[in-house]
Amino acid sequence: RLQESRERLSVCSKLCYAVGGAPYQITGCALGFFLQIYLLDVAQLDPFYASIILFVGRAWDAVTDPMVGFFISKTSWTRLGRLMPWIIFSTPFAVISYFLIWFVPDISRGQVMWYLIFYCIFQTLVTCFHVPYSALTMFISREQSERDSATAYRMTVEVLGTVLGTAIQGQIVGKVVTPCIESPLFIGKTNSSVAMEELNMTHDTGSLTDTRNAYMIAAGVIGGLYILCAVILSVGVREKRESSELQSDEPVSFFQGLKLVMNHGAYIKLIAGFLFTSLAFMLLEGNFALFCTYTLGFRNEFQNILLAIMLSATLTIPLWQWFLTRFGKKTAVYVGISSAIPFLIMVAVLDSNLIVTYIVAVAAGISVAAAFLLPWSMLPDVIDDFKLQHPDSHGHEPIFFSFYVFFTKFTSGVSLGISTLSLDFAGYQTRGCSQPSEVNFTLKMLVSAVPVGLILLGLLLFKLYPIDEEKRRKNKKALQDLR
């Protein structure tokens, strides 16, 4: 009992640990919703180059996860621990690089390289924060119940972080009206570049400067929160080396473990299903700001619509937690993710209407909550199934999680790159108050038809997923008997 009382974490320790999950979600949400429209309309990059930045940055982010995980595993213990130094020393450089992503350099050439370099640097540094932070769960206590409790605190703060990132970025940037060029010559095919230059010369650029300043102010606020969360985490959480002694001392071959994991059918089917559904919501996330601004005409409302989505997602996560325990996880997948389909069709078919758009935003948030919660709820079931099939193989849990994150991030990079490239082919006009009909049609496809098709494909693949509630209960009992 004395040992158990020593291992118990205080509420303050759990809160300090949970706060460390906020920086990754706050910055990720701000970049996910706003970076595309920022590169196109504020930095005024060509859509082709913007697509390269978005794709390469996300793809590099995917590659850095297993790389950083490998280097952390080779790190020696220090007075601060083995994981905490990565978190502490990466923070100031991550904040600087994040701020520079939202800065428009006064250079005529090299802007593309500027954003590409600092986007990739930030993705690397935030990975150096988040990967050791995720692994820190195993080093805060020996008691599994205490780890589970701390993880519950963490998930709550991470969901609140998504709302905070959307609110801070959206409300600060939304206070300033981004200037646009209103001219029918924009849509014309002849002398469009000449007309654009003439209009640029006569257009008041003061408001564009205000917009750029607003993005930098938002970046400064989010950067300050990033540092504050890192300080609270490093001061309030102690990394316990003795907790690692519970892990197996036998060396685990990474490539042998990877081969076993990738040959596990339940894992592959789960990844395949969630890849397509995640891709659907990432397309919606990346293009929704442009869709609200140009196709629906809500230039000054899109930040509030985005906030409605994230608030809806936050408030309905407890509902889905209850639903999956009551009706099963596979049923929750079908009901939760498919509930977005009629509303996505509605927003594309009906005429522009602000009330309808808010209703669609709330409904989409309900599905976003299911898509956010269910993968992390179903992965442990797959790991339990793997342990039963390979009882002599230990220590492969990080591979399951890291490669799920890898595939998700890589596909998100592909989706953003392809969608921005599609806008380029459709004739997207930088700083236009309106866009050609081809661009509006493309945006409708990217936030409605394509996500609906991907959701349906993902749900069909879930039919192949073998772990239903009955099998999950059998696995749980078999693991208890094995232990």
Side-chain angles (χ1 to χ4, degrees):
R1 287 180 181 177
L2 181 62
Q3 182 64 32
E4 286 180 5
S5 65
R6 287 176 181 172
E7 287 295 330
R8 287 193 178 277
L9 295 172
S10 65
V11 173
C12 180
S13 296
K14 292 175 185 176
L15 285 172
C16 290
Y17 167 74
V19 163
Y24 182 78
Q25 298 298 336
I26 293 173
T27 55
C29 235
L31 289 167
F33 279 122
F34 293 92
L35 184 58
Q36 185 184 45
I37 195 170
Y38 168 81
L39 293 175
L40 293 174
D41 285 359
V42 181
Q44 300 180 39
L45 297 183
D46 184 272
F48 174 75
Y49 294 116
S51 68
I52 291 175
I53 293 169
L54 293 170
F55 168 69
V56 174
R58 288 292 185 96
W60 176 250
D61 184 26
V63 171
T64 55
D65 277 281
M67 284 174 54
V68 170
F70 175 79
F71 286 122
I72 288 174
S73 67
K74 301 296 182 183
T75 304
S76 302
W77 281 88
T78 67
R79 187 172 57 85
L80 296 172
R82 190 173 72 174
L83 304 173
M84 203 61 79
W86 286 81
I87 294 170
I88 295 170
F89 293 115
S90 66
T91 293
F93 301 105
V95 170
I96 293 170
S97 59
Y98 179 79
F99 182 82
L100 292 175
I101 291 173
W102 303 104
F103 175 75
V104 180
D106 189 18
I107 50 177
S108 57
R109 294 182 180 181
Q111 275 195 350
V112 175
M113 290 305 299
W114 173 280
Y115 291 113
L116 183 60
I117 289 170
F118 284 111
Y119 189 33
C120 289
I121 289 174
F122 172 73
Q123 296 289 17
T124 304
L125 291 167
V126 79
T127 300
C128 290
F129 181 103
H130 193 67
V131 169
Y133 170 73
S134 300
L136 191 61
T137 312
M138 303 302 296
F139 297 92
I140 55 177
S141 175
R142 292 184 182 186
E143 294 296 321
Q144 183 63 44
S145 59
E146 292 300 299
R147 294 173 184 167
D148 291 342
S149 177
T151 301
Y153 278 79
R154 169 192 165 187
M155 294 302 293
T156 304
V157 172
E158 286 192 357
V159 174
L160 291 174
T162 62
V163 177
L164 202 57
T166 308
I168 292 171
Q169 187 84 9
Q171 296 305 312
I172 292 177
V173 171
K175 297 294 183 185
V176 181
V177 179
T178 304
C180 60
I181 300 174
E182 208 167 341
S183 172
L185 292 173
F186 239 13
I187 306 175
K189 294 183 179 179
T190 58
N191 297 327
S192 60
S193 60
V194 176
M196 186 175 176
E197 288 181 13
E198 291 175 356
L199 286 165
N200 275 334
M201 290 173 65
T202 58
H203 192 80
D204 179 20
T205 58
S207 53
L208 182 60
T209 303
D210 293 340
T211 303
R212 292 174 175 176
N213 290 337
Y215 272 99
M216 286 191 288
I217 291 170
V221 173
I222 290 175
L225 283 174
Y226 193 119
I227 293 172
L228 179 63
C229 291
V231 169
I232 292 172
L233 174 67
S234 59
V235 171
V237 177
R238 188 171 69 87
E239 188 178 346
K240 300 177 182 178
R241 184 171 186 175
E242 60 270 17
S243 298
S244 65
E245 294 171 0
L246 294 173
Q247 308 302 313
S248 174
D249 293 326
E250 297 177 6
V252 177
S253 169
F254 176 82
F255 293 103
Q256 185 180 0
L258 179 61
K259 184 179 178 181
L260 285 172
V261 167
M262 291 304 168
N263 284 330
H264 189 59
Y267 181 61
I268 297 301
K269 289 163 187 172
L270 182 70
I271 281 184
F274 272 117
L275 273 185
F276 287 102
T277 55
S278 298
L279 189 56
F281 287 104
M282 286 169 188
L283 278 174
L284 185 64
E285 177 190 73
N287 294 283
F288 199 72
L290 290 172
F291 178 73
C292 288
T293 301
Y294 294 111
T295 306
L296 299 181
F298 303 136
R299 179 176 290 271
N300 299 323
E301 283 287 334
F302 78 87
Q303 71 275 3
N304 297 323
I305 296 169
L306 293 177
L307 186 58
I309 293 175
M310 301 315 298
L311 280 173
S312 172
T314 303
L315 295 174
T316 50
I317 276 186
L319 169 68
W320 288 119
Q321 184 66 41
W322 169 83
F323 190 95
L324 66 87
T325 55
R326 177 70 176 80
F327 299 101
K329 296 178 183 179
K330 284 189 76 170
T331 305
V333 168
Y334 291 124
V335 174
I337 295 178
S338 63
S339 64
I341 292 177
F343 296 98
L344 291 176
I345 295 172
M346 186 190 302
V347 77
V349 172
L350 297 180
D351 293 333
S352 176
N353 184 295
L354 187 59
I355 296 174
V356 172
T357 305
Y358 272 106
I359 292 172
V360 171
V362 172
I366 295 171
S367 287
V368 167
F372 184 88
L373 176 67
L374 289 168
W376 304 109
S377 175
M378 296 171 80
L379 264 177
D381 300 337
V382 172
I383 296 172
D384 287 344
D385 189 64
F386 177 85
K387 286 178 178 177
L388 285 174
Q389 294 187 25
H390 305 278
D392 298 326
S393 186
H394 304 286
H396 303 310
E397 290 85 353
I399 298 176
F400 281 95
F401 285 92
S402 62
F403 274 87
Y404 173 77
V405 173
F406 169 80
F407 287 122
T408 304
K409 287 182 176 180
F410 187 80
T411 51
S412 73
V414 172
S415 70
L416 275 176
I418 290 175
S419 62
T420 312
L421 206 57
S422 301
L423 294 175
D424 186 27
F425 289 144
Y428 182 89
Q429 302 289 351
T430 303
R431 287 184 64 194
C433 289
S434 59
Q435 295 292 339
S437 57
E438 292 85 354
V439 172
N440 291 325
F441 176 78
T442 302
L443 285 170
K444 281 187 177 183
M445 292 296 103
L446 291 173
V447 301
S448 178
V450 178
V452 167
L454 290 169
I455 287 172
L456 291 174
L457 183 56
L459 293 178
L460 282 174
L461 289 170
F462 272 117
K463 281 284 187 183
L464 304 174
Y465 179 66
I467 304 176
D468 54 15
E469 282 304 294
E470 183 180 355
K471 184 172 178 58
R472 191 174 71 84
R473 283 193 292 268
K474 288 181 179 178
N475 285 351
K476 183 178 180 181
K477 186 177 185 305
L479 274 176
Q480 287 174 348
D481 295 341
L482 190 65
R483 292 184 182 122

